[in-house]
Amino acid sequence: MEHSINMIPFFTSYFWNGVSFAFACFGMLLLSLSILLILKSPKLAVWIGSLEKMNLWHHRFATIGYAFILLHPLILGWEGFFKNQSNAWIQISPWENSSFVGLGWISIVLFMIGLFFTFNVQLPYRLWKYSHVILSVAFLLGIYHVFIVKGFLSVYSLMVFPPILVLFLRLFSFDHKYISIPFIVETLKYSSSEIVEIELKPMKQKLQVSPGQYIFVAFYEGPGFKGCGEFHPFSIIQSLKNGNLMLAVKSLGECTKNILKLQTGVRTNVIGPFGDFHSGKSTKNEIWIAAGVGVTPFLSLINKSRIIFLTKMYLLLNEKKDSPFVNAFENFSLQNSNFQFELIETKKNLKPLFHDLEKIIGLKEMDFFICGPPLMMNQLFLWLYSKGVSHQSIHYEQFDLRL
């Protein structure tokens, strides 16, 4: 019986080795594409659709690529099964073969660890970055494994050179330095004990910004201040005619708490702009819903845009004093007959909002623009879907350090 199986061409060693190698190459190709998508390039984000879509495909390529790489040794073991069922494991065992097989297994295990911490553990941002260092090491070991098998001068070297270059640039932040634009802190206004409004002045070129967009900003050293140097996403609340950008930063984490000590004259770098939160092309009446610091994109809309269609905005706060921008929306509503503003004081309870939304006639024919904590947005999405609102009518932007 064993002899008859081996006589079938479909089960030859040549066939299984070829399939295994094809899976490995395709997996490394997907991982290479995943690495190319970690560049925070505004032009690339526009081409793909958004920075969030770039991040989504980055995760998809990495996960599917890992699955194909994991199948690579399993297929080799399957080929060994038809040769000798009792010794199939020896074919792929890291202890029974040469060292390059062990390197391949180390790469797979590191991928497993890195992906586990990336998707299943809510790590602080700085620890989360180290999980990606593990993935980077796994990728480089996998590439070295391929080089040993096929040679450093093979055509496969050309396939992996671009992602290796991107990985090197990303690990040492050279990519950020290349695509970022230098700014300087011009003025500061402390709106509350937790919120500071920052005016950034461009040192070279001005940014062309649309209402509702956001940028990544890194604050460095300056008079009496030492920034963390990490790029964090902030909404632009106003783009001034002279090219200066206004931001509102709330103290939420270690780095943003330090920003409350910011001084004028501090050097910054800016990457962006990103997002298409409100393109201004809507032809329907609108509902704006903001919670907490998620109010900032809407500030840019009332500072720059004309309200053409009927628009109602809900601002969700624990207490009115939690946001210094309530007066800006109240005054805007008095000056614009098409704009209504309502403040809802609620502690993570969306029932008052849902109760008010149910009174609106023609809810399914309106466009919704939402910004706030992820949990709040997810609850709101589910409620809107249950009321028949289409996915195309719901617009939101996800501001995430991990993008």
Side-chain angles (χ1 to χ4, degrees), residues 56 70 76 78 110 133 139 166 169 173 201 206 213 222 225-226 241 256 264 266 277 288 299 312 318 325 330 332 370:
L56 177 63
L70 184 60
L76 285 178
W78 183 255
L110 289 178
V133 172
F139 177 77
V166 171
L169 294 174
S173 299
K201 176 182 177 181
K206 299 178 182 179
Q213 289 191 304
F225 177 81
K226 182 176 177 61
K241 291 183 179 180
T256 50
T264 57
V266 169
F277 182 61
W288 298 358
L299 283 169
K312 183 166 185 179
N318 290 333
F325 306 116
E330 290 177 338
F332 187 76
I370 304 168

Side-chain angles (χ1 to χ4, degrees), residues 13 22 24 34 49 71 80 94 127 135 161 200 263 331 381 383 396:
S13 296
S34 174
L71 288 171
L127 290 178
L135 291 171
F161 177 75
L200 298 180
Q263 302 292 325
N331 293 334
F381 295 159
W383 187 87
Y396 66 97

Side-chain angles (χ1 to χ4, degrees), residues 84-361:
N84 189 333
Q85 288 87 338
S86 61
N87 294 324
W89 168 247
I90 296 177
Q91 181 86 357
I92 57 174
S93 171
W95 297 281
E96 303 291 341
N97 291 279
S98 56
S99 59
F100 77 86
V101 175
L103 281 177
W105 275 111
I106 292 173
S107 174
I108 287 175
V109 171
L110 289 178
F111 269 123
M112 189 182 301
I113 295 172
L115 290 174
F116 173 79
F117 281 106
T118 297
F119 293 114
N120 297 296
V121 181
Q122 292 298 317
L123 294 173
Y125 175 63
R126 292 188 178 182
L127 290 178
W128 172 85
K129 289 199 304 182
Y130 291 128
S131 72
H132 274 54
V133 172
I134 296 174
L135 291 171
S136 301
V137 173
F139 177 77
L140 293 175
L141 286 176
I143 293 298
Y144 186 61
H145 173 76
V146 173
F147 283 164
I148 292 177
V149 175
K150 293 298 178 180
F152 285 88
L153 300 179
S154 68
V155 68
Y156 308 103
S157 303
L158 300 177
M159 179 184 72
V160 299
F161 177 75
I164 288 178
L165 177 61
V166 171
L167 190 60
F168 175 79
L169 294 174
R170 182 78 289 277
L171 286 175
F172 296 97
S173 299
F174 291 144
D175 59 329
H176 284 170
K177 294 175 183 178
Y178 175 73
I179 63 177
S180 62
I181 300 172
F183 277 68
I184 193 170
V185 177
E186 174 120 305
T187 64
L188 296 165
K189 176 186 175 183
Y190 290 89
S191 306
S192 70
S193 60
E194 294 183 330
I195 298 177
V196 56
E197 295 180 47
I198 306 169
E199 181 179 354
L200 298 180
K201 176 182 177 181
M203 300 302 293
K204 293 182 181 179
Q205 68 187 81
K206 299 178 182 179
L207 282 182
Q208 297 297 320
V209 178
S210 299
Q213 289 191 304
Y214 66 99
I215 54 178
F216 282 81
V217 185
F219 293 90
Y220 298 103
E221 294 80 13
F225 177 81
K226 182 176 177 61
C228 65
E230 295 177 347
F231 281 88
H232 287 241
F234 300 109
S235 289
I236 301 166
I237 62 173
Q238 190 173 9
S239 176
L240 305 179
K241 291 183 179 180
N242 60 2
N244 288 10
L245 303 178
M246 297 295 299
L247 311 176
V249 179
K250 184 175 182 179
S251 173
L252 294 173
E254 181 181 346
C255 194
T256 50
K257 286 181 180 178
N258 188 45
I259 291 176
L260 292 179
K261 304 174 185 176
L262 192 63
Q263 302 292 325
T264 57
V266 169
R267 181 176 59 88
T268 71
N269 275 12
V270 171
I271 301 176
F274 296 101
D276 189 21
F277 182 61
H278 194 291
S279 62
K281 298 178 182 178
S282 175
T283 58
K284 299 185 288 186
N285 293 339
E286 299 177 2
I287 297 290
W288 298 358
I289 302 174
V293 74
V295 71
T296 50
F298 298 102
L299 283 169
S300 68
L301 297 181
I302 66 171
N303 284 326
K304 195 82 173 181
S305 302
R306 288 191 307 116
I307 305 298
I308 300 175
F309 299 95
L310 290 176
T311 300
K312 183 166 185 179
M313 177 177 178
Y314 295 93
L315 177 57
L316 310 181
L317 298 172
N318 290 333
E319 296 179 27
K320 183 176 180 179
K321 65 180 181 63
D322 290 339
S323 177
F325 306 116
V326 173
N327 290 339
F329 290 104
E330 290 177 338
N331 293 334
F332 187 76
S333 66
L334 295 175
Q335 300 166 9
N336 294 266
S337 57
N338 287 336
F339 184 80
Q340 300 177 34
F341 174 75
E342 183 168 340
L343 172 67
I344 298 180
E345 296 186 50
T346 176
K347 297 184 182 294
K348 300 181 180 180
N349 181 8
L350 297 185
K351 288 183 179 180
L353 172 65
F354 296 155
H355 179 72
D356 203 274
L357 288 174
E358 285 180 333
K359 299 176 183 178
I360 298 176
I361 300 174

Side-chain angles (χ1 to χ4, degrees), residues 12-41:
T12 62
S13 296
Y14 180 80
F15 172 81
W16 288 116
N17 283 330
V19 171
S20 175
F21 183 68
F23 271 62
C25 285
F26 188 64
M28 293 306 293
L29 176 62
L30 290 177
L31 289 174
S32 298
L33 291 174
S34 174
I35 290 174
L36 291 175
L37 290 177
I38 65 176
L39 289 175
K40 287 188 177 74
S41 168

